[in-house]
Amino acid sequence: MAKKSKWGFSTKSIHVGNEADKEMGSVSPPIHLTSTFKQDGVGKNRGHDYSRVSNPTRQRLEENLASLDGANYAVCYSTGMAATTALFQLFDAGDHILISRNTYGGTFRMSMNVLKRQGIEFDWIDTRDPENIKNHIKSNTRLVHVETPTNPLLELCDLEATAKVCTKADVYLSVDNSFMSPYGQRPLEFGVDVVMQSSTKSLSGHSDVLGGVLTTNNEDLAERLQFMLKATGGVPSPFDNWILLRSTKTLALRYQKASDNAAELAKWLNEQKNIGRVIYPGLKSHPQHEIARKQQRTPKGDIIYGNMISIDLDAKEARDHFLSQLEVFTLAESLGGVESLVCVPYNMTHAAVPDDAKLEMGITETLIRLSIGIENLEDIKSDLSKALD
Ligand SMILES: *Cc1c(COP(=O)(O)O)cnc(C)c1O
């Protein structure tokens, strides 16, 4: 169980799990690069026996990430997909899981090509309206898994209202919070049961490591997730854990700056004539702007809209010209790094989703997703300006 802390977000991110090494006093914690641990007698270990089960560096990271989400428990995995898979594998053949329709493409691929074959049922629905979620809950529904904002259409789900629907129906609610990070949104505060994050994204923030994490206040779920990790083995390496532990120290600074950049850019993009639509929760034109204002808050309570913007250029030639002119932005999958990235979800992150399903939702071939980094705002803006010309 993680230590609850009275500290502010940045103090927690820097100190929880980062206590000086007991043996040598190193301020930066050691990396326990070991698969196994010496036992002082049969069955007598010093807290760890084998690194798939537990490792001191992973334990530090779990304490750190739990504290950022305001959670009692965190369980770390090798990737975000390993975390989501472990969560869904808590359920059995015949159980039913409801998921936001334009969720991460990999979640769709894993669900439909792996767990569906093993008998778990899935439905992909519009989770913008809690009533719609309620209407899709069946007698065998065990979990509602939402993304807010969704990827890449930035549709929002009212977490408080949805948690009420799920509690009433006695169904677990989990949230993929990879886009907002705990700096921008802490779903457990709204009564959500489990938070999933790809720590590959804003948590690590430097596009140099893969990781995933599940946090919860539910002891029974935490135990079952810990068991799932030990039993199936999708653990992160000690080195990757250490990189992440180092990275979350600057999460507040990085996320705030990236979000400030994105808010300015979204406003500016919205004024440009040659763009079909600009999607950003911070724009008044976003149909769910008010929900963003309600639930996307920094730990201090300020409204924050995030680092992701989607734009539609409406023509493939315009799209290709735009992509070929960018210098600050790199054409690549992933998001949440210090460097700005651009991608075409239709062909890249959402390649696994059937074309008609994508088009029906509005994921067109000309929809472009921007992950805004922390470069100088003027440089990002002039890069976009030149490419849009
Ligand atoms: C990247 C991502 C994932 C998957 O995480 P990996 O670390 O790549 O396995 C899941 N959900 C969202 C929203 C993501 O952006």
Side-chain angles (χ1 to χ4, degrees), residues 71-87:
N72 286 335
Y73 309 96
V75 186
C76 288
Y77 299 82
S78 55
T79 64
M81 280 321 304
T84 307
T85 305
L87 174 64

Side-chain angles (χ1 to χ4, degrees), residues 291-312:
I291 293 177
R293 296 177 64 84
K294 182 172 113 180
Q295 65 192 24
Q296 297 182 190
R297 296 285 178 128
T298 69
K300 276 197 178 148
D302 296 329
I303 297 163
I304 187 159
Y305 297 114
N307 49 15
M308 303 300 293
I309 306 172
S310 290
I311 60 175
D312 203 329

Side-chain angles (χ1 to χ4, degrees), residues 368-381:
I368 293 172
R369 189 186 79 182
L370 304 169
S371 169
I372 307 300
I374 65 170
E375 299 97 337
N376 289 87
L377 178 61
E378 311 74 61
D379 294 327
I380 309 177
K381 199 189 270 183

Side-chain angles (χ1 to χ4, degrees), residues 78-82 84 103-104 107 147 151 176 178-179 196-201 210-212 334-335 369:
S78 55
T79 64
M81 280 321 304
T84 307
T103 188
Y104 180 70
T107 304
E147 232 175 87
N151 183 0
D176 182 335
S178 307
F179 269 34
M196 173 272 159
Q197 280 188 92
S198 165
S199 20
T200 312
K201 312 296 165 55
L210 295 169
S334 204
L335 58 107
R369 189 186 79 182

